[in-house]
Amino acid sequence: MDRWVRMKSVGSRRWVIAEGYIPGESVSSDPALVSHETACILNAGDRDAAVTLTIYYEDRDPVGPYNVTVAARRTLHLRFNDLSDPAPVPRDTPYASVIEADVPIVVQHTRLDSRRAEIALMTTMAYAAD
Amino acid sequence: MDRWVRMKSVGSRRWVIAEGYIPGESVSSDPALVSHETACILNAGDRDAAVTLTIYYEDRDPVGPYNVTVAARRTLHLRFNDLSDPAPVPRDTPYASVIEADVPIVVQHTRLDSRRAEIALMTTMAYAAD
Amino acid sequence: MDRWVRMKSVGSRRWVIAEGYIPGESVSSDPALVSHETACILNAGDRDAAVTLTIYYEDRDPVGPYNVTVAARRTLHLRFNDLSDPAPVPRDTPYASVIEADVPIVVQHTRLDSRRAEIALMTTMAYAAD
Amino acid sequence: MDRWVRMKSVGSRRWVIAEGYIPGESVSSDPALVSHETACILNAGDRDAAVTLTIYYEDRDPVGPYNVTVAARRTLHLRFNDLSDPAPVPRDTPYASVIEADVPIVVQHTRLDSRRAEIALMTTMAYAAD
Protein backbone atom coordinates (compact mmCIF):
# COMPACT_ATOMS: atom_id res chain seq x y z
CA MET A 1 0.00 0.00 0.00
CA ASP A 2 1.34 3.40 -0.94
CA ARG A 3 2.79 5.48 1.86
CA TRP A 4 1.02 8.64 0.70
CA VAL A 5 -2.39 7.06 0.67
CA ARG A 6 -1.97 6.40 4.35
CA MET A 7 -0.96 10.01 5.05
CA LYS A 8 -3.82 11.49 6.95
CA SER A 9 -4.93 15.03 6.30
CA VAL A 10 -3.63 17.74 8.61
CA GLY A 11 -4.66 21.24 9.60
CA SER A 12 -7.86 23.20 9.85
CA ARG A 13 -10.73 24.14 7.51
CA ARG A 14 -10.64 27.88 8.25
CA TRP A 15 -7.68 30.23 8.33
CA VAL A 16 -7.27 33.98 8.74
CA ILE A 17 -4.51 36.36 7.60
CA ALA A 18 -5.18 39.76 9.16
CA GLU A 19 -2.37 41.56 7.34
CA GLY A 20 -2.53 42.19 3.61
CA TYR A 21 -0.75 44.80 1.49
CA ILE A 22 0.69 44.45 -2.00
CA PRO A 23 3.20 47.25 -2.63
CA GLY A 24 2.53 48.86 -5.99
CA GLU A 25 6.20 49.45 -6.56
CA SER A 26 9.00 47.02 -7.37
CA VAL A 27 12.54 47.78 -8.42
CA SER A 28 12.71 44.48 -10.27
CA SER A 29 10.54 43.08 -13.06
CA ASP A 30 11.84 39.55 -12.44
CA PRO A 31 8.60 37.70 -11.51
CA ALA A 32 10.33 36.11 -8.51
CA LEU A 33 11.29 39.54 -7.16
CA VAL A 34 8.21 41.62 -7.92
CA SER A 35 6.61 42.73 -4.64
CA HIS A 36 4.01 40.13 -3.74
CA GLU A 37 1.98 38.53 -0.97
CA THR A 38 1.39 34.81 -0.91
CA ALA A 39 -0.86 32.33 0.86
CA CYS A 40 1.14 29.10 0.97
CA ILE A 41 -1.37 26.26 1.25
CA LEU A 42 -0.61 22.61 1.97
CA ASN A 43 -3.15 19.88 1.35
CA ALA A 44 -1.43 16.81 2.78
CA GLY A 45 -4.55 14.66 2.57
CA ASP A 46 -5.72 12.30 -0.15
CA ARG A 47 -8.72 14.32 -1.36
CA ASP A 48 -8.53 17.51 -3.44
CA ALA A 49 -9.34 20.66 -1.48
CA ALA A 50 -11.88 23.18 -2.74
CA VAL A 51 -10.57 26.42 -1.28
CA THR A 52 -12.36 29.78 -1.18
CA LEU A 53 -10.83 33.12 -0.22
CA THR A 54 -12.68 36.21 0.92
CA ILE A 55 -10.86 39.55 0.94
CA TYR A 56 -11.75 42.19 3.55
CA TYR A 57 -11.04 45.91 3.21
CA GLU A 58 -11.01 48.96 5.46
CA ASP A 59 -13.64 50.96 3.62
CA ARG A 60 -15.75 48.70 1.43
CA ASP A 61 -17.59 45.40 1.50
CA PRO A 62 -15.63 42.16 1.34
CA VAL A 63 -14.97 40.65 -2.07
CA GLY A 64 -15.26 36.96 -2.90
CA PRO A 65 -15.40 34.13 -3.09
CA TYR A 66 -12.21 33.44 -4.99
CA ASN A 67 -12.12 29.73 -5.81
CA VAL A 68 -9.01 27.61 -6.15
CA THR A 69 -8.33 23.90 -5.97
CA VAL A 70 -5.36 22.44 -4.15
CA ALA A 71 -4.90 18.88 -5.30
CA ALA A 72 -4.41 16.00 -2.88
CA ARG A 73 -0.82 15.75 -1.57
CA ARG A 74 0.15 19.05 -3.18
CA THR A 75 1.07 22.54 -2.07
CA LEU A 76 -0.02 25.75 -3.77
CA HIS A 77 1.78 29.04 -3.25
CA LEU A 78 -1.03 31.37 -4.25
CA ARG A 79 -0.08 34.98 -4.98
CA PHE A 80 -2.73 37.50 -4.04
CA ASN A 81 -1.30 39.51 -6.96
CA ASP A 82 -2.73 36.92 -9.35
CA LEU A 83 -6.33 36.86 -8.09
CA SER A 84 -8.69 38.27 -10.72
CA ASP A 85 -12.15 36.73 -10.41
CA PRO A 86 -14.39 38.30 -9.11
CA ALA A 87 -11.93 41.26 -8.96
CA PRO A 88 -8.18 41.91 -8.67
CA VAL A 89 -6.71 42.89 -5.30
CA PRO A 90 -5.77 46.59 -5.49
CA ARG A 91 -2.15 47.61 -4.82
CA ASP A 92 -1.11 49.86 -1.93
CA THR A 93 -4.32 49.01 -0.07
CA PRO A 94 -4.67 47.30 3.31
CA TYR A 95 -6.69 44.10 3.26
CA ALA A 96 -7.21 40.89 5.23
CA SER A 97 -8.30 37.43 4.13
CA VAL A 98 -10.27 34.42 5.29
CA ILE A 99 -9.39 31.11 3.64
CA GLU A 100 -11.81 28.21 3.88
CA ALA A 101 -11.58 24.65 2.58
CA ASP A 102 -13.73 21.54 2.56
CA VAL A 103 -10.88 19.44 3.93
CA PRO A 104 -8.11 20.25 6.43
CA ILE A 105 -5.29 22.39 5.02
CA VAL A 106 -2.43 24.47 6.46
CA VAL A 107 -1.88 28.12 5.47
CA GLN A 108 1.22 30.28 5.85
CA HIS A 109 1.45 33.93 4.84
CA THR A 110 4.47 35.67 3.27
CA ARG A 111 5.32 39.02 1.74
CA LEU A 112 8.30 39.79 -0.46
CA ASP A 113 8.70 43.54 -0.67
CA SER A 114 10.97 45.02 -3.32
CA ARG A 115 10.06 48.68 -3.14
CA ARG A 116 13.70 49.35 -2.49
CA ALA A 117 16.79 47.97 -4.26
CA GLU A 118 17.01 45.21 -1.69
CA ILE A 119 14.21 42.81 -0.76
CA ALA A 120 12.46 42.52 2.57
CA LEU A 121 10.63 39.37 3.65
CA MET A 122 8.13 38.46 6.31
CA THR A 123 6.13 35.35 7.13
CA THR A 124 3.77 33.90 9.72
CA MET A 125 1.54 30.94 10.09
CA ALA A 126 -2.03 32.06 9.48
CA TYR A 127 -4.51 31.86 12.37
CA ALA A 128 -6.29 28.51 12.47
CA ALA A 129 -9.91 29.07 13.44
CA ASP A 130 -11.78 26.09 14.81
CA MET B 1 -29.94 36.29 1.80
CA ASP B 2 -26.63 38.08 1.64
CA ARG B 3 -23.55 35.93 1.79
CA TRP B 4 -21.78 38.23 4.27
CA VAL B 5 -24.62 38.20 6.72
CA ARG B 6 -24.16 34.49 7.03
CA MET B 7 -20.41 34.82 7.63
CA LYS B 8 -19.87 33.92 11.23
CA SER B 9 -17.40 35.83 13.31
CA VAL B 10 -13.95 34.33 13.75
CA GLY B 11 -11.10 34.68 16.21
CA SER B 12 -10.67 35.51 19.85
CA ARG B 13 -11.61 38.39 22.17
CA ARG B 14 -8.15 38.88 23.65
CA TRP B 15 -4.80 39.11 21.88
CA VAL B 16 -1.26 39.87 22.99
CA ILE B 17 1.73 41.30 21.11
CA ALA B 18 4.79 41.01 23.36
CA GLU B 19 7.14 42.90 21.02
CA GLY B 20 6.75 46.60 20.43
CA TYR B 21 9.28 49.18 19.26
CA ILE B 22 8.79 52.13 16.94
CA PRO B 23 12.14 53.25 15.55
CA GLY B 24 12.51 57.01 15.88
CA GLU B 25 14.44 57.24 12.68
CA SER B 26 13.32 56.82 9.06
CA VAL B 27 15.23 57.56 5.90
CA SER B 28 11.98 58.24 4.07
CA SER B 29 9.18 60.70 4.77
CA ASP B 30 6.79 58.81 2.48
CA PRO B 31 4.03 57.81 4.94
CA ALA B 32 4.07 54.24 3.59
CA LEU B 33 7.79 53.93 4.33
CA VAL B 34 8.13 55.73 7.65
CA SER B 35 9.19 53.26 10.34
CA HIS B 36 6.01 51.94 11.94
CA GLU B 37 4.38 49.14 13.88
CA THR B 38 0.89 47.99 13.07
CA ALA B 39 -1.81 45.85 14.63
CA CYS B 40 -3.76 44.45 11.69
CA ILE B 41 -7.24 43.63 12.96
CA LEU B 42 -9.94 41.69 11.13
CA ASN B 43 -13.56 41.76 12.24
CA ALA B 44 -15.20 39.20 9.94
CA GLY B 45 -18.44 39.15 11.89
CA ASP B 46 -21.63 41.12 11.37
CA ARG B 47 -21.41 43.31 14.50
CA ASP B 48 -19.04 46.26 14.95
CA ALA B 49 -16.17 45.53 17.34
CA ALA B 50 -15.34 47.86 20.22
CA VAL B 51 -11.60 47.35 20.60
CA THR B 52 -9.39 48.56 23.46
CA LEU B 53 -5.60 48.51 23.55
CA THR B 54 -3.41 48.67 26.62
CA ILE B 55 0.28 49.45 26.24
CA TYR B 56 2.81 47.97 28.69
CA TYR B 57 6.28 49.36 29.31
CA GLU B 58 9.48 48.23 30.98
CA ASP B 59 9.69 50.93 33.59
CA ARG B 60 6.30 52.58 34.10
CA ASP B 61 2.65 51.72 34.54
CA PRO B 62 0.61 50.56 31.58
CA VAL B 63 -1.21 53.20 29.54
CA GLY B 64 -4.75 52.85 28.23
CA PRO B 65 -7.35 52.14 27.27
CA TYR B 66 -7.01 53.27 23.69
CA ASN B 67 -10.40 52.85 22.04
CA VAL B 68 -11.02 52.06 18.40
CA THR B 69 -13.94 50.61 16.47
CA VAL B 70 -13.54 48.04 13.75
CA ALA B 71 -16.73 47.92 11.74
CA ALA B 72 -18.46 44.67 10.86
CA ARG B 73 -16.86 42.86 7.91
CA ARG B 74 -13.95 45.28 7.83
CA THR B 75 -10.24 45.22 8.55
CA LEU B 76 -8.28 47.98 10.27
CA HIS B 77 -4.52 48.29 9.99
CA LEU B 78 -3.90 50.35 13.11
CA ARG B 79 -0.53 52.05 13.41
CA PHE B 80 0.79 52.34 16.92
CA ASN B 81 2.48 55.52 15.64
CA ASP B 82 -0.96 57.14 15.35
CA LEU B 83 -2.23 56.43 18.87
CA SER B 84 -2.62 59.66 20.83
CA ASP B 85 -5.37 59.38 23.44
CA PRO B 86 -4.64 58.98 26.35
CA ALA B 87 -0.97 59.43 25.27
CA PRO B 88 1.26 58.85 22.25
CA VAL B 89 3.52 55.79 22.16
CA PRO B 90 7.11 56.99 22.62
CA ARG B 91 9.69 56.19 19.93
CA ASP B 92 12.78 54.03 20.54
CA THR B 93 11.10 52.50 23.60
CA PRO B 94 10.24 48.83 24.15
CA TYR B 95 6.57 48.14 24.77
CA ALA B 96 4.00 45.34 24.57
CA SER B 97 0.26 45.43 23.98
CA VAL B 98 -2.95 43.66 24.95
CA ILE B 99 -5.85 44.03 22.53
CA GLU B 100 -9.37 43.25 23.69
CA ALA B 101 -12.68 43.29 21.85
CA ASP B 102 -16.32 42.63 22.63
CA VAL B 103 -16.64 40.27 19.66
CA PRO B 104 -14.16 37.81 18.12
CA ILE B 105 -11.41 39.41 16.02
CA VAL B 106 -8.05 38.32 14.59
CA VAL B 107 -4.87 40.32 15.19
CA GLN B 108 -1.56 40.22 13.31
CA HIS B 109 1.49 42.30 14.17
CA THR B 110 3.94 43.90 11.71
CA ARG B 111 6.88 46.28 11.78
CA LEU B 112 8.29 48.17 8.83
CA ASP B 113 11.70 49.48 9.78
CA SER B 114 13.35 52.12 7.61
CA ARG B 115 16.19 53.26 9.82
CA ARG B 116 18.48 52.35 6.96
CA ALA B 117 18.14 53.13 3.23
CA GLU B 118 16.44 49.80 2.68
CA ILE B 119 13.40 48.58 4.57
CA ALA B 120 13.15 45.59 6.88
CA LEU B 121 9.88 43.84 7.65
CA MET B 122 8.65 41.40 10.24
CA THR B 123 5.26 39.93 11.09
CA THR B 124 3.60 37.38 13.34
CA MET B 125 0.13 36.42 14.35
CA ALA B 126 -0.55 37.84 17.79
CA TYR B 127 -1.10 35.41 20.69
CA ALA B 128 -4.74 34.51 21.08
CA ALA B 129 -5.58 34.28 24.76
CA ASP B 130 -8.66 32.29 25.69
CA MET C 1 19.33 14.03 40.58
CA ASP C 2 20.32 15.90 37.46
CA ARG C 3 18.17 18.85 36.53
CA TRP C 4 18.02 17.86 32.84
CA VAL C 5 16.82 14.37 33.58
CA ARG C 6 13.77 15.89 35.19
CA MET C 7 13.09 18.17 32.21
CA LYS C 8 9.95 16.84 30.63
CA SER C 9 9.58 16.79 26.88
CA VAL C 10 7.70 19.64 25.25
CA GLY C 11 5.89 20.18 21.97
CA SER C 12 4.04 18.11 19.44
CA ARG C 13 4.78 15.04 17.29
CA ARG C 14 3.62 16.56 14.00
CA TRP C 15 4.46 19.95 12.49
CA VAL C 16 3.74 21.64 9.20
CA ILE C 17 5.61 24.39 7.31
CA ALA C 18 3.45 25.45 4.37
CA GLU C 19 6.02 27.82 2.87
CA GLY C 20 9.18 26.52 1.30
CA TYR C 21 11.48 28.11 -1.28
CA ILE C 22 15.26 28.00 -1.52
CA PRO C 23 16.49 30.85 -3.72
CA GLY C 24 18.98 29.55 -6.28
CA GLU C 25 20.97 32.74 -6.12
CA SER C 26 23.23 34.14 -3.39
CA VAL C 27 25.57 37.09 -3.55
CA SER C 28 27.78 35.50 -0.90
CA SER C 29 29.54 32.15 -0.82
CA ASP C 30 30.02 32.38 2.96
CA PRO C 31 28.08 29.31 4.18
CA ALA C 32 26.36 31.41 6.84
CA LEU C 33 25.07 33.83 4.20
CA VAL C 34 24.15 31.51 1.33
CA SER C 35 20.39 31.66 0.77
CA HIS C 36 18.83 28.88 2.84
CA GLU C 37 15.74 27.62 4.58
CA THR C 38 15.97 25.93 7.94
CA ALA C 39 13.78 23.84 10.20
CA CYS C 40 14.97 24.60 13.73
CA ILE C 41 14.05 21.60 15.87
CA LEU C 42 14.24 21.37 19.66
CA ASN C 43 14.09 18.05 21.47
CA ALA C 44 13.98 19.10 25.14
CA GLY C 45 13.12 15.62 26.35
CA ASP C 46 15.40 12.87 27.60
CA ARG C 47 14.92 10.44 24.72
CA ASP C 48 16.41 10.84 21.21
CA ALA C 49 13.88 11.86 18.59
CA ALA C 50 13.57 9.96 15.30
CA VAL C 51 12.38 12.68 12.94
CA THR C 52 11.04 12.22 9.40
CA LEU C 53 10.38 14.97 6.88
CA THR C 54 8.14 14.76 3.84
CA ILE C 55 8.42 17.41 1.14
CA TYR C 56 5.33 18.41 -0.89
CA TYR C 57 5.42 20.11 -4.28
CA GLU C 58 2.99 21.91 -6.56
CA ASP C 59 3.23 19.57 -9.52
CA ARG C 60 4.61 16.22 -8.44
CA ASP C 61 4.22 13.57 -5.76
CA PRO C 62 5.65 14.20 -2.31
CA VAL C 63 9.19 13.05 -1.62
CA GLY C 64 10.34 11.36 1.55
CA PRO C 65 10.85 10.24 4.14
CA TYR C 66 14.00 12.12 5.02
CA ASN C 67 15.29 10.72 8.30
CA VAL C 68 17.21 12.63 10.93
CA THR C 69 17.87 12.12 14.61
CA VAL C 70 17.70 14.93 17.15
CA ALA C 71 19.43 13.77 20.30
CA ALA C 72 17.87 14.17 23.74
CA ARG C 73 18.27 17.71 25.13
CA ARG C 74 19.66 19.01 21.84
CA THR C 75 18.56 21.34 19.08
CA LEU C 76 19.18 20.79 15.38
CA HIS C 77 19.03 23.60 12.86
CA LEU C 78 18.39 21.52 9.76
CA ARG C 79 18.94 23.22 6.40
CA PHE C 80 16.62 22.05 3.66
CA ASN C 81 19.56 22.87 1.35
CA ASP C 82 21.44 19.93 2.83
CA LEU C 83 18.79 17.22 2.38
CA SER C 84 19.93 14.64 -0.16
CA ASP C 85 18.40 11.24 0.57
CA PRO C 86 16.06 10.26 -1.10
CA ALA C 87 16.56 13.40 -3.27
CA PRO C 88 17.81 16.98 -2.95
CA VAL C 89 15.29 19.80 -2.65
CA PRO C 90 15.33 21.73 -5.95
CA ARG C 91 16.13 25.48 -5.89
CA ASP C 92 13.68 28.16 -7.00
CA THR C 93 10.79 25.75 -6.49
CA PRO C 94 7.84 26.14 -4.10
CA TYR C 95 7.47 23.35 -1.56
CA ALA C 96 5.95 22.59 1.84
CA SER C 97 6.95 20.15 4.54
CA VAL C 98 5.50 17.90 7.21
CA ILE C 99 7.81 17.01 10.09
CA GLU C 100 6.98 14.05 12.31
CA ALA C 101 8.73 12.64 15.36
CA ASP C 102 8.27 9.77 17.77
CA VAL C 103 8.55 12.11 20.76
CA PRO C 104 7.39 15.71 21.29
CA ILE C 105 9.54 18.33 19.56
CA VAL C 106 9.18 22.01 18.65
CA VAL C 107 9.80 23.28 15.11
CA GLN C 108 10.47 26.83 13.90
CA HIS C 109 10.98 27.81 10.27
CA THR C 110 13.41 30.43 8.93
CA ARG C 111 14.66 31.67 5.59
CA LEU C 112 17.79 33.73 4.99
CA ASP C 113 17.59 35.20 1.52
CA SER C 114 20.73 36.69 -0.03
CA ARG C 115 19.66 37.12 -3.62
CA ARG C 116 20.54 40.77 -3.23
CA ALA C 117 23.62 42.39 -1.67
CA GLU C 118 21.80 42.65 1.66
CA ILE C 119 20.14 39.77 3.46
CA ALA C 120 16.45 39.34 4.20
CA LEU C 121 15.16 37.15 7.00
CA MET C 122 11.84 35.63 7.95
CA THR C 123 10.70 33.19 10.61
CA THR C 124 7.60 31.62 12.08
CA MET C 125 6.73 28.86 14.44
CA ALA C 126 5.58 25.89 12.40
CA TYR C 127 1.97 24.71 12.76
CA ALA C 128 1.60 22.13 15.51
CA ALA C 129 -0.88 19.50 14.41
CA ASP C 130 -2.48 17.42 17.11
CA MET D 1 -10.58 50.16 42.28
CA ASP D 2 -7.65 50.49 39.92
CA ARG D 3 -8.18 49.25 36.40
CA TRP D 4 -4.80 47.44 36.34
CA VAL D 5 -5.49 45.53 39.48
CA ARG D 6 -8.45 43.97 37.76
CA MET D 7 -6.41 43.01 34.72
CA LYS D 8 -6.13 39.25 34.86
CA SER D 9 -2.91 37.57 33.89
CA VAL D 10 -2.64 36.21 30.37
CA GLY D 11 -0.54 33.61 28.60
CA SER D 12 1.22 30.40 29.47
CA ARG D 13 3.88 29.29 31.95
CA ARG D 14 6.12 27.56 29.42
CA TRP D 15 7.34 28.83 26.06
CA VAL D 16 9.76 27.53 23.45
CA ILE D 17 11.86 29.32 20.83
CA ALA D 18 13.42 26.70 18.57
CA GLU D 19 15.53 29.15 16.56
CA GLY D 20 18.46 30.94 18.10
CA TYR D 21 21.51 32.50 16.48
CA ILE D 22 23.36 35.67 17.40
CA PRO D 23 25.45 36.87 14.46
CA GLY D 24 28.96 37.70 15.59
CA GLU D 25 29.23 40.52 13.10
CA SER D 26 27.56 43.92 13.02
CA VAL D 27 28.28 46.86 10.77
CA SER D 28 27.05 49.25 13.45
CA SER D 29 28.19 49.77 17.01
CA ASP D 30 24.99 51.65 17.89
CA PRO D 31 23.51 49.42 20.63
CA ALA D 32 20.10 49.54 18.94
CA LEU D 33 21.58 48.22 15.71
CA VAL D 34 24.08 45.64 16.91
CA SER D 35 22.97 42.18 15.76
CA HIS D 36 20.86 40.70 18.52
CA GLU D 37 18.16 38.22 19.46
CA THR D 38 15.48 39.11 21.95
CA ALA D 39 12.81 37.35 23.98
CA CYS D 40 10.07 39.93 24.45
CA ILE D 41 8.18 38.97 27.60
CA LEU D 42 4.91 40.44 28.84
CA ASN D 43 3.69 39.94 32.37
CA ALA D 44 0.22 41.50 32.31
CA GLY D 45 -0.75 40.11 35.68
CA ASP D 46 -0.52 41.66 39.12
CA ARG D 47 2.22 39.42 40.53
CA ASP D 48 5.90 39.59 39.60
CA ALA D 49 7.05 36.73 37.39
CA ALA D 50 10.11 34.65 38.25
CA VAL D 51 11.35 33.60 34.82
CA THR D 52 14.00 31.00 34.03
CA LEU D 53 15.59 30.36 30.66
CA THR D 54 17.38 27.21 29.55
CA ILE D 55 19.55 27.31 26.42
CA TYR D 56 19.89 24.19 24.25
CA TYR D 57 22.74 23.56 21.81
CA GLU D 58 23.49 21.17 18.96
CA ASP D 59 26.56 19.55 20.44
CA ARG D 60 26.65 20.08 24.20
CA ASP D 61 24.46 19.90 27.28
CA PRO D 62 21.91 22.60 27.91
CA VAL D 63 22.96 25.60 29.99
CA GLY D 64 20.86 27.20 32.68
CA PRO D 65 18.90 28.26 34.49
CA TYR D 66 19.20 31.94 33.68
CA ASN D 67 17.00 33.82 36.14
CA VAL D 68 15.21 37.08 35.47
CA THR D 69 12.26 38.84 37.05
CA VAL D 70 9.54 40.51 35.05
CA ALA D 71 7.60 42.81 37.33
CA ALA D 72 3.82 42.84 37.47
CA ARG D 73 2.25 44.81 34.60
CA ARG D 74 5.58 45.24 32.87
CA THR D 75 7.27 44.02 29.72
CA LEU D 76 10.91 43.02 29.43
CA HIS D 77 12.72 42.85 26.12
CA LEU D 78 15.50 40.50 27.11
CA ARG D 79 18.49 40.29 24.79
CA PHE D 80 20.13 36.88 24.63
CA ASN D 81 23.33 38.87 23.95
CA ASP D 82 23.21 40.13 27.55
CA LEU D 83 22.87 36.78 29.33
CA SER D 84 25.99 36.03 31.37
CA ASP D 85 25.17 33.88 34.38
CA PRO D 86 25.81 30.92 34.34
CA ALA D 87 27.50 31.56 30.94
CA PRO D 88 27.26 33.91 27.96
CA VAL D 89 25.53 32.69 24.81
CA PRO D 90 28.21 32.14 22.15
CA ARG D 91 27.97 34.04 18.84
CA ASP D 92 27.54 32.36 15.46
CA THR D 93 26.21 29.24 17.19
CA PRO D 94 22.77 27.66 16.75
CA TYR D 95 20.73 27.38 19.94
CA ALA D 96 17.15 27.06 21.18
CA SER D 97 15.51 28.15 24.40
CA VAL D 98 12.82 27.14 26.87
CA ILE D 99 11.35 29.93 28.97
CA GLU D 100 9.43 29.09 32.12
CA ALA D 101 7.63 31.30 34.63
CA ASP D 102 5.69 30.86 37.84
CA VAL D 103 2.80 32.95 36.50
CA PRO D 104 1.33 33.25 32.98
CA ILE D 105 3.42 35.34 30.57
CA VAL D 106 3.56 35.87 26.80
CA VAL D 107 6.82 35.51 24.83
CA GLN D 108 7.69 36.77 21.36
CA HIS D 109 11.01 36.20 19.61
CA THR D 110 12.88 38.65 17.38
CA ARG D 111 16.23 38.92 15.65
CA LEU D 112 17.80 42.10 14.31
CA ASP D 113 20.61 41.14 11.98
CA SER D 114 23.11 43.78 10.92
CA ARG D 115 25.81 41.68 9.34
CA ARG D 116 25.31 43.74 6.22
CA ALA D 117 25.01 47.54 5.85
CA GLU D 118 21.23 47.25 6.03
CA ILE D 119 19.33 45.52 8.80
CA ALA D 120 17.14 42.43 8.50
CA LEU D 121 14.41 41.62 11.01
CA MET D 122 12.35 38.60 11.88
CA THR D 123 9.83 37.79 14.59
CA THR D 124 7.41 35.11 15.72
CA MET D 125 5.32 34.35 18.74
CA ALA D 126 7.07 31.66 20.74
CA TYR D 127 5.40 28.25 21.09
CA ALA D 128 3.14 28.11 24.12
CA ALA D 129 3.45 24.71 25.75
CA ASP D 130 0.66 23.61 28.07
Side-chain angles (χ1 to χ4, degrees):
Chain A
M1 185 182 173
D2 188 288
R3 175 168 185 265
W4 311 120
V5 175
R6 299 193 317 266
M7 176 65 84
K8 60 176 186 287
S9 60
V10 56
S12 176
R13 286 181 174 76
R14 198 174 201 209
W15 294 83
V16 180
I17 303 170
E19 197 280 338
Y21 186 87
I22 307 174
E25 239 183 294
S26 300
V27 295
S28 171
S29 59
D30 174 350
L33 297 178
V34 165
S35 290
H36 62 266
E37 290 218 323
T38 303
C40 300
I41 304 172
L42 175 63
N43 176 12
D46 56 8
R47 287 180 43 210
D48 291 358
V51 176
T52 64
L53 291 88
T54 305
I55 308 289
Y56 292 80
Y57 293 100
E58 292 195 319
D59 57 3
R60 67 195 97 162
D61 281 339
V63 176
Y66 296 87
N67 298 304
V68 294
T69 299
V70 183
R73 295 179 294 280
R74 293 291 183 276
T75 186
L76 176 67
H77 290 202
L78 179 68
R79 286 194 184 196
F80 288 94
N81 303 43
D82 295 339
L83 295 176
S84 61
D85 179 16
V89 179
R91 271 44 174 180
D92 296 324
T93 304
Y95 65 90
S97 54
V98 174
I99 299 169
E100 297 167 287
D102 60 346
V103 296
I105 58 173
V106 177
V107 179
Q108 184 171 344
H109 169 234
T110 65
R111 191 204 296 171
L112 182 148
D113 196 319
S114 59
R115 283 177 283 186
R116 291 296 177 250
E118 306 299 331
I119 61 174
L121 289 177
M122 63 183 196
T123 194
T124 185
M125 277 293 145
Y127 171 76
D130 300 325
Chain B
M1 186 183 172
D2 188 287
R3 174 167 187 266
W4 312 120
V5 176
R6 299 192 318 264
M7 176 66 83
K8 58 177 189 288
S9 61
V10 55
S12 176
R13 285 181 174 77
R14 198 174 203 208
W15 294 82
V16 181
I17 303 170
E19 196 280 338
Y21 187 88
I22 305 175
E25 238 184 293
S26 301
V27 294
S28 170
S29 59
D30 174 350
L33 297 178
V34 165
S35 291
H36 61 267
E37 290 218 322
T38 303
C40 299
I41 304 173
L42 174 64
N43 175 11
D46 56 8
R47 287 180 45 210
D48 290 357
V51 177
T52 64
L53 291 87
T54 306
I55 309 288
Y56 291 80
Y57 293 100
E58 291 195 319
D59 56 3
R60 66 195 98 163
D61 280 339
V63 177
Y66 297 87
N67 298 305
V68 295
T69 299
V70 183
R73 295 178 294 280
R74 293 291 184 275
T75 186
L76 176 67
H77 290 202
L78 178 69
R79 286 194 186 196
F80 288 94
N81 304 44
D82 294 339
L83 295 175
S84 60
D85 178 16
V89 179
R91 270 44 175 181
D92 297 324
T93 305
Y95 64 91
S97 54
V98 173
I99 300 168
E100 296 167 289
D102 60 346
V103 296
I105 58 173
V106 178
V107 179
Q108 184 172 345
H109 169 236
T110 65
R111 190 204 296 171
L112 183 149
D113 196 319
S114 59
R115 281 177 283 186
R116 290 298 177 250
E118 307 298 331
I119 61 174
L121 290 176
M122 64 183 197
T123 194
T124 185
M125 278 293 145
Y127 173 77
D130 301 324
Chain C
M1 186 183 172
D2 189 289
R3 175 168 186 266
W4 311 120
V5 175
R6 298 192 319 264
M7 176 64 85
K8 60 177 186 288
S9 61
V10 55
S12 176
R13 286 181 173 77
R14 197 175 202 209
W15 295 83
V16 180
I17 303 170
E19 197 280 338
Y21 186 87
I22 305 174
E25 240 183 292
S26 302
V27 295
S28 170
S29 59
D30 174 350
L33 296 178
V34 165
S35 291
H36 62 267
E37 291 218 322
T38 303
C40 300
I41 304 172
L42 174 63
N43 175 12
D46 57 7
R47 286 180 44 210
D48 290 358
V51 177
T52 64
L53 292 87
T54 306
I55 308 289
Y56 292 80
Y57 293 100
E58 292 196 319
D59 57 1
R60 67 196 97 163
D61 281 339
V63 176
Y66 296 87
N67 298 303
V68 295
T69 298
V70 183
R73 294 178 295 281
R74 293 292 185 274
T75 186
L76 176 67
H77 290 202
L78 178 68
R79 288 196 182 193
F80 288 95
N81 304 42
D82 295 339
L83 295 175
S84 61
D85 179 15
V89 179
R91 270 46 174 178
D92 298 323
T93 304
Y95 64 90
S97 53
V98 174
I99 300 169
E100 296 167 289
D102 60 346
V103 296
I105 58 173
V106 177
V107 179
Q108 183 172 346
H109 168 234
T110 66
R111 190 204 297 171
L112 183 148
D113 195 319
S114 59
R115 282 177 284 186
R116 290 296 176 249
E118 306 299 331
I119 61 174
L121 289 176
M122 63 182 198
T123 194
T124 185
M125 278 293 146
Y127 172 77
D130 300 324
Chain D
M1 185 183 173
D2 190 287
R3 172 168 188 267
W4 311 121
V5 176
R6 297 192 319 266
M7 176 64 84
K8 59 177 188 286
S9 62
V10 55
S12 176
R13 284 181 175 77
R14 197 174 203 209
W15 295 82
V16 180
I17 303 171
E19 196 280 338
Y21 186 88
I22 305 174
E25 241 183 292
S26 301
V27 295
S28 172
S29 59
D30 174 351
L33 297 178
V34 164
S35 291
H36 62 267
E37 290 218 323
T38 304
C40 300
I41 303 173
L42 175 63
N43 175 12
D46 57 7
R47 288 179 45 209
D48 291 357
V51 177
T52 64
L53 291 87
T54 306
I55 309 288
Y56 291 80
Y57 293 101
E58 292 195 320
D59 56 2
R60 68 197 97 163
D61 280 339
V63 176
Y66 296 88
N67 298 304
V68 295
T69 299
V70 183
R73 296 178 293 281
R74 292 292 185 274
T75 186
L76 176 66
H77 291 202
L78 178 68
R79 288 196 184 193
F80 288 95
N81 304 43
D82 295 339
L83 295 175
S84 61
D85 178 16
V89 178
R91 271 45 173 178
D92 297 323
T93 305
Y95 65 91
S97 54
V98 173
I99 300 168
E100 296 167 288
D102 60 346
V103 296
I105 59 172
V106 177
V107 180
Q108 183 172 344
H109 168 235
T110 66
R111 189 204 296 171
L112 183 147
D113 196 319
S114 60
R115 282 177 283 186
R116 291 297 177 250
E118 307 298 331
I119 61 174
L121 290 176
M122 63 183 198
T123 194
T124 185
M125 278 293 144
Y127 172 78
D130 301 324

